[in-house]
Amino acid sequence: MLGLPLAFTVPAVLGALVLLPALWFLLRVTPPRPRRQAFPPLRLILDERPRDETPARTPPWLLLLRLAVAAALVLAMAGPIWNPPPPSLGGSGPLALLLDDGFAAAPDWDVRVAAAAERLGEAGRAGRPVALAALSEGPRALAPVTAAAALDRLRALKPQPTLVDRAAALPAVRDFAAAHPDADVVWIADGLENGGARAFAEGLRFARPATVLAAAAPPLALAGAENRPDALAVTVLRADARAPGAGTLRAYDLKGLALGDAPFSFDGTAASATASFALPVELRNEVARVDVLGEASAGAVTLLDGRWKRRRVDVVTGASADVAQPLLSPGYFVTKALAPFAEVREVPPNVADPIGAALDEKPSVLVLADVGQVTGADHDRLARFVDEGGVLLRFAGSRLAGAPADDLEPVNLRRGGRTFGGALSWDKPKSLAPFDRASPFFGLTDRRDVTVSRQVLAEPDAGLPAHTWAALDDGTPLVTADHRGKGTIVLFHVTGDTTWSNLPLSGLFVDMLRRVVALGGETAKADDAGAAAAKPGEAAALPPTRILDGFGALGAPPATAKPVPAAFAGPGTADHPPGFYGPADALLAVNALNPGAALLPADLSGLGLAALPLKAAEPVDLRAALLVLAVVGFLADAVATALLGGGFTGLGARLPRLPGTGGRGAGTTAAALAVAALLAAGPGARPARAAESLPPAAVAALRQDHVPERDMEAALRTRLAYVASGDGAVDEESREGLRGLSRALTNRTSLDPGDPVAVDPARDDLSFYPMIYWPVVATAPQPPPAAVAKLSAYMKNGGTVLFDTRDALSARADGPPTPEAHWLATLLTGVDVPELEPVPRDHVITKTFYLIDNFVGRYNTAPTWVEALPPAPPEAVNRPARSGDSVSPIVITGNDLAAAWASDPDGEPLYPLVPGGARQRELAIRGGVNLVIYTLTGNYKADQVHVKDLLERLAH
């Protein structure tokens, strides 16, 4: 009545309320009160009043009081009940009781069972058969049984840890309704649209309208976690704004020990919130379970396995240190792509042994970006790292393309690179082919926009398809892998930057790296365990270990739980319920909801269904309260009548004035309080001043430091250096050649270098010298491994080594290598040498100071080799100079440059040239100047941004 939860047991009595207007007129008249007078006759005659005097009227407030008392009596006699019990179904046919038994029903499962038991009890009293159906059972036929049997089955039901698929159960309900047209249907819903609630409700619209019982607000749930760099972030979902707006999550490890709590709160009517566990990464990696406190539901639990751990990843790049554009380097792209889900550390290139330094950090994944051949102790440590379960991720590049083959590659590679879309290529850039179902990348999307312009090819042997994880649309591999021991070697056949492809610019690159990093140790074990459990010819599968029940408790797996594929990504189903699968040391977590899922409220409006609350409030009989109010009203009326009639002498005379009295009460005093905040000002600090000189103690410490005098001089003044070969004549030629080049630099450029210095790579610090001239002597002993390591570090830190074999007259293109060339090849075996090419005509090294075509010395027939540059883009064909992102760390020639540079203080040449002439000597000097300026200034001359400034300088 009136939209209120109010009912009357005897509603006919409410008709007496129409008599209240009549009572209004009857109760208005009040007889005059009697007066006490002395009997004296004269006094009695004088004060006699007329007989037809109008009696006094009843005060309005007293009249309203009497009407309220009368109304209370009428309402009490009608038997009012607040929150009356729901009406009975009233039918005589069978009752179909449908029960949502997914995880959303778990928090108030007892309430749902009580509501169902109440309907069963009502049907039992009416002698009606009952068909009870748990909707998680799917297409199971509904068979009517007695109410008692249905109640026994109801008490045995438990909520399931998954969402309910109502569509599977709808045909059985329709068949039951068709067989029993007079049946009543009661659906105890969980309030979620997930699982097709509205479609199911539309299917229930048959002859008799169905009754829907639903909770006021669906429960909370968790939709996965993200192990961010700073915290473990867990997403909390709600389907209705009436659900709790705040709460707490708790994280546990595999042993059930609590690791930390994290609060969450929803903003306004938001459907999701985030809770962050600000724990150290070591503790975050131990989290195996996160619960919503106070929510006993499998949906309020998220399980974490090794895929959610932030693994430590070290990145080693083969690029030199003096990268002019570091934001375009392979290390930058790889680091940025790994940062969202891994603890990434990029090893600085100035470390003497970057691979060893990375392995000392004990990473799960080691990334080698364009690192060529790995030899010596680093090779042995890398092989052991992979055998023990590590993941070695390699990216191709010019160094890998030019390096000899080694056993740390997943497949056999063809040396050199394959270029698409170049000036001499008929092919266009290739796109990615669909991922094979056996590939770890299967299921990833957004691959069609990825194109590849260059790649390192794999040898087409019989086992190549088994090692291919991703391929181009022409069938050539893009990503290959091989399991070695307990670990995996993965190779991207393109660079980690955008030089060879646009893959690093796509979101697919991040997803692919996420899948690769997830292999770190534990997934490999899971794959082995699944493969061992699988039968021959079947895909690897992981058996259930511990399964969540509907209330979110882990326990033994039920008999209906089936193994999941090793790459299963959820969510849980009836065959694969949420829980842990696989061996104890490599568990795979399956959750009720996947990351990115949402809870939607069910909208059943406009379907003609009778919607009732799942749990109605307890009925309250209002008769006693109304009778008490009536009695209190009677007492108040009696007191008021006595006062108005003259009773209570002294009060009756003043009482009529009470309704019109507006006496003043104590006034309230408004006070304003002004608060002034004073900022305490400390003593003024004097401005800091830089020390004008070092403290005496620091000066003394520097003097006591055993730094070679020539190193101190090289740090203060640029000098060229040459490697002492041990041959007196060769060393003299090198010294005089660099002296002559230094004098030319002083006379022709703004550079004023000091005297050249002879260095020993095994003993001296090479970092002070921008360019080192190394004359190759075939009879000299090979330098020790420590010297080779120092040389490799020097080249990676931006230094340039000019190797001069001085064998232009004896070298033949179609003949065996000269002794000098063989000696140099042996030296460079342990050095990460990039892919080399003869100096192109448009290379920036030919234009840094002079415009030259080749680098000549005593001879002019041998080519000069530098680091190979990436193919020029089509829009840059007309550029005057082309460069890479760094200075070539190595230059190789055989023209004996030092002999052509050598001269006495007067400028007279010291060695004859072949074929000779002043022009050849001048070109040799110009080439030497270009080499030095190139090592000092890099590739700025190739940047068209500076053309305007350069032209302005030339005009002045």
Side-chain angles (χ1 to χ4, degrees):
M1 179 180 291
L2 301 178
L4 298 176
L6 180 64
F8 296 90
T9 57
V10 189
V13 178
L14 296 178
L17 294 177
V18 300
L19 301 177
L20 292 181
L23 291 176
W24 172 271
F25 293 100
L26 292 176
L27 296 177
R28 290 177 62 193
V29 179
T30 301
R33 62 184 178 87
R35 297 183 62 190
R36 294 179 179 273
Q37 289 287 355
F39 182 69
L42 296 177
R43 185 67 178 172
L44 181 60
I45 294 173
L46 292 175
D47 293 338
E48 185 178 2
R49 298 183 178 183
R51 295 181 181 273
D52 57 351
E53 183 178 6
T54 302
R57 298 190 180 274
T58 303
W61 59 270
L62 183 58
L63 181 61
L64 293 176
L65 174 62
R66 291 172 178 175
L67 290 177
V69 170
L73 289 175
V74 173
L75 293 175
M77 295 177 64
I81 298 177
W82 189 262
N83 293 326
S88 61
L89 298 175
S92 58
L95 171 64
L97 187 59
L98 312 179
L99 183 62
D100 277 350
D101 58 341
F103 67 76
D108 53 0
W109 182 254
D110 293 340
V111 177
R112 296 173 182 274
V113 171
E118 183 177 349
R119 296 305 188 278
L120 292 178
E122 181 182 338
R125 290 189 293 271
R128 304 172 63 182
V130 178
L132 176 63
L135 296 184
S136 65
E137 297 175 350
R140 179 176 177 178
L142 275 68
V145 296
T146 63
L151 182 60
D152 292 339
R153 182 167 180 267
L154 173 67
R155 291 169 178 168
L157 291 178
K158 298 295 180 183
Q160 301 302 309
T162 59
L163 288 170
V164 178
D165 183 12
R166 303 181 182 92
L170 185 57
V173 179
R174 285 179 174 173
D175 294 343
F176 179 83
H180 305 86
D182 58 343
D184 288 311
V185 177
V186 176
W187 174 27
I188 302 181
D190 57 17
L192 293 180
E193 173 61 28
N194 304 69
R198 186 170 182 85
F200 182 76
E202 290 176 349
L204 296 181
R205 292 188 299 176
F206 22 79
R208 298 176 64 87
T211 301
V212 180
L213 306 180
L220 302 177
L222 299 182
E226 181 181 1
N227 206 340
R228 298 174 180 173
D230 56 342
L232 176 66
V234 183
T235 302
V236 188
L237 302 178
R238 66 175 178 178
D240 198 312
R242 293 173 294 176
T248 303
L249 303 186
R250 179 164 293 174
Y252 302 88
D253 62 8
L254 277 175
K255 298 180 180 179
L257 301 177
L259 298 180
D261 293 347
F264 67 89
S265 61
F266 293 90
D267 294 334
T269 59
S272 64
T274 301
S276 298
F277 292 90
L279 300 173
V281 65
E282 291 78 11
L283 281 181
R284 281 186 273 140
N285 286 342
E286 292 297 324
V287 175
R289 172 188 176 124
V290 178
D291 290 4
V292 180
L293 292 183
E295 290 283 336
S297 163
V301 176
T302 186
L303 303 176
L304 307 180
D305 55 23
R307 295 172 295 178
W308 276 266
K309 292 183 178 181
R310 287 191 67 84
R311 292 180 170 82
R312 185 180 297 277
V313 179
D314 278 32
V315 179
V316 177
T317 178
S320 300
D322 63 333
V323 176
Q325 296 174 321
L327 299 186
L328 299 180
S329 65
Y332 177 81
F333 280 95
V334 174
T335 300
K336 287 298 182 182
L338 292 171
F341 52 86
E343 292 295 320
V344 187
R345 174 181 178 269
E346 186 173 3
V347 181
N350 57 357
V351 176
D353 183 11
I355 294 179
L359 293 177
D360 291 339
E361 297 288 335
K362 299 187 182 304
S364 299
V365 180
L366 178 60
V367 180
L368 300 183
D370 192 16
V371 174
Q373 186 182 25
V374 182
T375 59
D378 287 343
H379 173 275
D380 297 338
R381 293 189 63 185
L382 269 180
R384 187 164 57 252
F385 165 76
V386 175
D387 289 339
E388 293 175 354
V391 174
L392 176 60
L393 174 59
R394 306 191 67 173
F395 287 89
S398 60
R399 290 170 175 79
L400 182 64
D406 60 27
D407 59 349
L408 294 178
E409 298 168 355
V411 295
N412 296 324
L413 301 178
R414 290 183 179 179
R415 296 301 133 184
R418 177 195 185 195
T419 303
F420 304 104
L424 300 178
S425 174
W426 292 94
D427 293 330
K428 296 181 179 180
K430 302 298 182 182
S431 301
L432 265 71
F435 296 118
D436 188 78
R437 183 173 294 274
S439 171
F441 304 142
F442 181 75
L444 298 182
T445 57
D446 300 332
R447 57 178 177 79
R448 300 308 301 175
D449 295 335
V450 176
T451 57
V452 176
S453 60
R454 188 176 181 184
Q455 67 177 139
V456 174
L457 285 175
E459 293 289 351
D461 51 27
L464 183 60
H467 295 286
T468 301
W469 285 2
L472 301 180
D473 51 12
D474 64 352
T476 57
L478 178 67
V479 181
T480 56
D482 185 26
H483 292 290
R484 303 282 179 86
K486 299 179 180 179
T488 307
I489 299 177
V490 182
L491 171 63
F492 279 69
H493 290 240
V494 293
T495 57
D497 57 12
T498 58
T499 306
W500 289 13
S501 74
N502 64 352
L503 175 63
L505 297 177
S506 66
L508 179 64
F509 187 62
V510 178
D511 294 334
M512 294 173 74
L513 292 186
R514 185 191 297 269
R515 297 281 179 93
V516 173
V517 171
L519 296 175
E522 297 185 4
T523 305
K525 297 176 184 177
D527 292 342
D528 295 341
K535 296 179 180 179
E538 296 182 355
L542 303 177
T545 304
R546 300 176 66 191
I547 298 301
L548 288 173
D549 62 12
F551 297 108
L554 283 170
T560 57
K562 299 179 181 179
V564 300
F568 186 79
T573 62
D575 291 335
H576 310 302
F580 286 117
Y581 292 75
D585 59 345
L587 294 174
L588 176 70
V590 176
N591 289 301
L593 295 176
N594 271 3
L599 294 182
L600 303 176
D603 181 12
L604 307 181
S605 59
L607 299 180
L609 304 178
L612 298 176
L614 179 62
K615 180 181 180 182
E618 293 293 333
V620 179
D621 192 346
L622 299 180
R623 287 178 294 181
L626 291 174
L627 290 175
V628 171
L629 289 177
V631 172
V632 172
F634 275 125
L635 295 177
D637 181 80
V639 173
T641 302
L643 292 176
L644 294 176
F648 304 105
T649 303
L651 292 177
R654 294 192 295 272
L655 187 59
R657 295 195 299 271
L658 292 176
T661 301
R664 296 183 300 168
T668 60
T669 303
L673 180 63
V675 178
L678 299 179
L679 298 177
R686 294 183 298 175
R689 297 180 300 172
E692 298 180 358
S693 61
L694 291 176
V699 175
L702 288 177
R703 290 177 176 175
Q704 293 176 2
D705 194 2
H706 300 287
V707 177
E709 186 68 23
R710 79 171 171 185
D711 287 352
M712 296 181 64
E713 294 178 357
L716 298 175
R717 186 177 182 184
T718 302
R719 297 171 183 270
L720 303 180
Y722 64 93
V723 175
S725 64
D727 187 319
V730 174
D731 294 343
E732 178 66 20
E733 177 187 317
S734 300
R735 180 168 56 255
E736 294 301 331
L738 293 185
R739 280 181 179 173
L741 181 59
S742 298
R743 284 193 293 267
L745 289 168
T746 302
N747 296 331
R748 304 185 185 194
T749 70
S750 59
L751 177 63
D752 184 16
D755 291 335
V757 178
V759 296
D760 181 359
R763 183 184 69 253
D764 297 327
D765 189 348
L766 307 180
S767 60
F768 298 104
Y769 310 101
M771 186 182 78
I772 297 178
Y773 178 76
W774 192 317
V776 176
V777 177
T779 58
Q782 286 286 337
V788 176
K790 291 181 62 177
L791 175 66
S792 180
Y794 168 78
M795 295 169 62
K796 286 187 176 296
N797 287 322
T800 298
V801 182
L802 173 57
F803 290 100
D804 194 343
T805 57
R806 304 177 301 114
D807 58 355
L809 293 181
S810 58
R812 296 291 182 270
D814 54 352
T818 63
E820 290 79 8
H822 185 270
W823 190 96
L824 179 59
T826 304
L827 170 67
L828 296 180
T829 301
V831 181
D832 191 7
V833 179
E835 182 181 4
L836 302 179
E837 66 177 350
V839 177
R841 295 179 61 86
D842 59 349
H843 197 288
V844 71
I845 198 174
T846 65
K847 299 171 176 64
T848 53
F849 198 84
Y850 291 103
L851 299 179
I852 60 177
D853 295 330
N854 195 8
F855 293 87
V856 300
R858 175 182 287 186
Y859 317 112
N860 61 359
T861 57
T864 301
W865 297 80
V866 296
E867 180 179 0
L869 299 179
E875 64 273 10
V877 172
N878 296 324
R879 290 173 63 96
R882 180 165 58 98
S883 67
D885 289 337
S886 61
V887 175
S888 177
I890 183 173
V891 179
I892 300 177
T893 186
N895 284 331
D896 195 359
L897 302 184
W901 297 338
S903 62
D904 60 16
D906 296 329
E908 295 298 327
L910 298 181
Y911 300 96
L913 307 184
V914 178
R919 180 61 178 172
Q920 181 176 346
R921 192 177 301 277
E922 175 61 21
L923 290 178
I925 294 294
R926 292 183 179 186
V929 172
N930 274 24
L931 283 171
V932 175
I933 299 301
Y934 171 68
T935 59
L936 293 175
T937 63
N939 53 27
Y940 84 99
K941 279 283 184 79
D943 192 348
Q944 297 297 300
V945 175
H946 302 293
V947 169
K948 180 180 178 181
D949 296 333
L950 294 175
L951 292 178
E952 290 179 355
R953 289 191 61 185
L954 292 175
H956 293 290

